[in-house]
Amino acid sequence: MNQTASTPNDREVENALYQKRKKIYPREVHGLFAPRCVLGVFVLLGLYYVIPWVSYEGHQAVLFDLPARKFHIFGLVFWPQDFFYLAMLLVIAALSLFFFTALAGRLWCGYACPQTVWTEAFLWMERKIEGDRPRQMKLDKAPMSLRKFRIKATKHAVWLAFAGWTGFTFVGFFTPIRELGVSLANLSLGPWETFWIIFYSFATYGNAGWLREQVCIYMCPYARFQSAMFDKDTLIISYDEARGEPRGSRKRSDDRAEKGLGDCIDCTLCVQVCPTGIDIRNGLQYQCIGCAACIDACNDVMDKMDYPRGLIRYTTQNRLEGKPVHVLRPRTLVYGLILLALLGGLVYAIATRVPVDLNIHP
Amino acid sequence: MSSEIPRIQRVISILWPSFLTSGLATILFFTLFDPVHLLAGTALAELSRLGAYSIGFFCFWGLTILTSGLTCYFSQPCDDNRRRTRGRQDDSLGSAL
């Protein structure tokens, strides 16, 4: 797969030899989809870190106040007897996942899943501190030295600080964050708040810093069953085998028809940018989180070769086979209708809910 | 078969499903029962709600870890010979048996 790698520069050939290594070093990617992913990271992380600090009518706007057993969401207050609404919300969330998966594949994984979003943030920090992919690999191969220790220590310190802030924010959703901040500054945090801040910080550090794609592969139940929601009209990221094969290296000036080659120059950049380390050219795999990094990487190469873009692209199985594509089909219609009905039901139920249900204990 | 599964997957398959279900159990249990009422008059009456939720969660997690662990343990083959050969030889023999 990698032995004949031929790329715009020699460094990539050298990198291709490391593909079999266990640790995955996703190469930074630029293009059409990468900015959308960055936008997703900014919006979602921004919401996460900012929301607990937003006030509404003199109290924290979103507060799942566990110690007081009531949830505040702006003007609404939910008590334990309102558990029904939470259950309904979870059903709606699950159905939305089904609906969007049937329609557009793993949109959730590639752009919105907290695991992806935090991993992107951690990868960005790693790149800023350790350098790009070849530098990271070189650093890891080098024997321990003062310089290596300094770089690694800086990375982990920055990761831990970010994870600590994440843990603090997380607990701030469940106990008033301003009071929590004051307690932290006075070093008078309660034992359980302290415990959960540390617990969540280490979970973030471990998942986004160390486990990364292994969370998707081994821990995510959705990754295992999402294929059940796929059909031949689901949007997937796919390599156009008919156009790409037979793959092979060539000079930019070579006539590919003359050499009997397809459009794939076998540069393995699509593999190098993949956060889960798969080769999209082997077909749809359950490790693919649909992040579109390989599309950006390949389009870039196609531009350099003066070939048309889209050797790897968002498409559907039907379109690849030259058949018509159906966006509206029984599966999406049924999911969509149930989803609408449940959403309507939830809004109606909350709007007409009797706000007071008193339990008086002597 | 089991030798093909990476260690991390085996560890995760015990710790992670139990974590998820114990989270669910904690939510359901403490939605129904307020720990302040449950613990009133006991030695733990001074425990804060957050403390009770946390201890409750870890009790549930401990139990569910035990369940997941036992499931994995019992899903190993019972035949001693088969288990021993699997330890020494590669997977092709295991699937041939």
Side-chain angles (χ1 to χ4, degrees):
Chain A
M1 176 177 90
N2 303 319
Q3 64 273 34
T4 55
S6 149
T7 49
N9 63 52
D10 287 331
R11 216 159 49 175
E12 262 118 47
V13 180
E14 185 190 324
N15 294 341
L17 299 171
Y18 296 110
Q19 288 305 329
K20 288 282 177 204
R21 280 181 59 169
K22 205 167 173 229
K23 187 178 170 190
I24 294 165
Y25 302 84
R27 171 186 281 276
E28 197 178 5
V29 66
H30 304 277
L32 188 63
F33 296 101
R36 295 183 198 180
C37 184
V38 173
L39 185 73
V41 170
F42 266 95
V43 170
L44 293 168
L45 287 189
L47 284 174
Y48 174 80
Y49 292 105
V50 169
I51 279 179
W53 296 97
V54 177
S55 288
Y56 180 82
E57 291 180 350
H59 62 80
Q60 191 171 327
V62 177
L63 175 63
F64 307 110
D65 196 343
L66 289 180
R69 291 175 76 74
K70 53 185 177 179
F71 289 1
H72 298 271
I73 300 172
F74 290 91
L76 297 168
V77 183
F78 294 91
W79 304 84
Q81 62 264 33
D82 297 322
F83 183 75
F84 165 75
Y85 300 111
L86 180 68
M88 205 159 159
L89 198 66
L90 290 178
V91 173
I92 289 174
L95 255 172
S96 318
L97 196 62
F98 293 3
F99 176 69
F100 286 109
T101 305
L103 208 60
R106 293 172 73 170
L107 277 185
W108 166 258
C109 301
Y111 298 99
C113 175
Q115 178 62 26
T116 306
V117 169
W118 263 289
T119 302
E120 282 295 329
F122 272 60
L123 281 173
W124 180 81
M125 287 181 258
E126 189 170 57
R127 259 181 218 128
K128 288 286 159 205
I129 295 164
E130 290 192 359
D132 56 7
R133 183 176 190 266
R135 279 165 192 262
Q136 287 176 24
M137 292 199 291
K138 206 173 154 196
L139 185 72
D140 279 2
K141 270 188 75 182
M144 184 49 82
S145 65
L146 196 65
R147 179 180 163 272
K148 181 171 176 174
F149 180 79
R150 185 173 49 78
I151 293 174
K152 290 280 176 195
T154 311
K155 179 179 84 174
H156 289 288
V158 171
W159 274 0
L160 281 170
F162 188 69
W165 183 32
T166 309
F168 172 78
T169 308
F170 180 75
V171 174
F173 274 95
F174 299 98
T175 56
I177 198 165
R178 285 164 203 273
E179 292 166 32
L180 200 67
V182 172
S183 315
L184 184 70
N186 298 334
L187 300 176
S188 60
L189 274 180
W192 295 107
E193 283 90 352
T194 312
F195 170 79
W196 284 111
I197 289 176
I198 293 173
F199 187 94
Y200 200 80
S201 303
F202 272 103
T204 310
Y205 171 75
N207 283 339
W210 292 94
L211 286 174
R212 293 186 183 168
E213 81 288 346
Q214 299 180 82
V215 173
C216 311
I217 294 170
Y218 300 125
M219 290 165 76
C220 180
Y222 169 70
R224 292 288 179 102
F225 67 69
Q226 41 83 26
S227 61
M229 289 159 243
F230 276 48
D231 56 31
K232 289 190 158 192
D233 288 308
T234 300
L235 203 60
I236 51 169
I237 291 172
S238 187
Y239 165 68
D240 192 339
E241 211 175 315
R243 197 188 127 189
E245 299 297 319
R247 66 184 80 159
S249 57
R250 82 274 322 252
K251 289 201 189 79
R252 200 167 166 275
S253 53
D254 285 349
D255 182 2
R256 55 190 188 279
E258 204 175 274
K259 286 193 111 179
L261 291 172
D263 280 1
C264 176
I265 66 164
D266 204 15
C267 64
T268 73
L269 276 179
C270 54
V271 184
Q272 294 180 34
V273 296
C274 180
T276 64
I278 57 169
D279 188 342
I280 191 72
R281 297 171 300 173
N282 295 338
L284 187 63
Q285 292 147 79
Y286 101 94
Q287 290 94 332
C288 172
I289 59 168
C291 70
C294 51
I295 300 186
D296 281 338
C298 189
N299 279 342
D300 206 28
V301 173
M302 292 296 111
D303 287 352
K304 280 181 188 150
M305 297 297 292
D306 276 336
Y307 294 169
R309 287 182 163 207
L311 179 60
I312 302 174
R313 62 177 184 271
Y314 271 114
T315 184
T316 71
Q317 220 175 322
N318 270 343
R319 186 171 290 166
L320 273 178
E321 291 166 5
K323 293 178 192 157
V325 174
H326 317 273
V327 175
L328 290 177
R329 50 194 194 272
R331 187 188 289 259
T332 52
L333 284 175
V334 169
Y335 283 152
L337 285 176
I338 299 177
L339 194 58
L340 271 180
L342 279 176
L343 264 177
L346 181 70
V347 171
Y348 176 78
I350 290 177
T352 57
R353 133 188 111 121
V354 182
V356 181
D357 186 2
L358 281 179
N359 285 314
I360 299 173
H361 294 275
Chain B
M1 185 186 82
S2 64
S3 56
E4 290 168 10
I5 297 176
R7 180 186 293 271
I8 185 158
Q9 186 176 2
R10 271 184 275 175
V11 172
I12 283 171
S13 70
I14 293 173
L15 293 184
W16 181 238
S18 51
F19 181 89
L20 292 177
T21 49
S22 57
L24 188 69
T26 310
I27 292 171
L28 289 174
F29 184 84
F30 288 114
T31 302
L32 283 172
F33 305 106
D34 183 347
V36 169
H37 300 152
L38 281 183
L39 299 173
T42 69
L44 292 172
E46 293 298 303
L47 189 67
S48 70
R49 277 192 179 125
L50 207 57
Y53 297 148
S54 309
I55 292 172
F57 170 76
F58 282 101
C59 289
F60 280 125
W61 197 14
L63 272 175
T64 47
I65 283 175
L66 192 68
T67 314
S68 294
L70 282 173
T71 305
C72 285
Y73 182 71
F74 285 127
S75 60
Q76 289 177 345
C78 304
D79 186 347
D80 268 357
N81 285 327
R82 193 170 149 178
R83 196 156 47 191
R84 246 180 265 130
T85 47
R86 171 170 295 162
R88 268 186 270 115
Q89 311 215 350
D90 64 11
D91 310 323
S92 55
L93 187 66
S95 57
L97 279 169

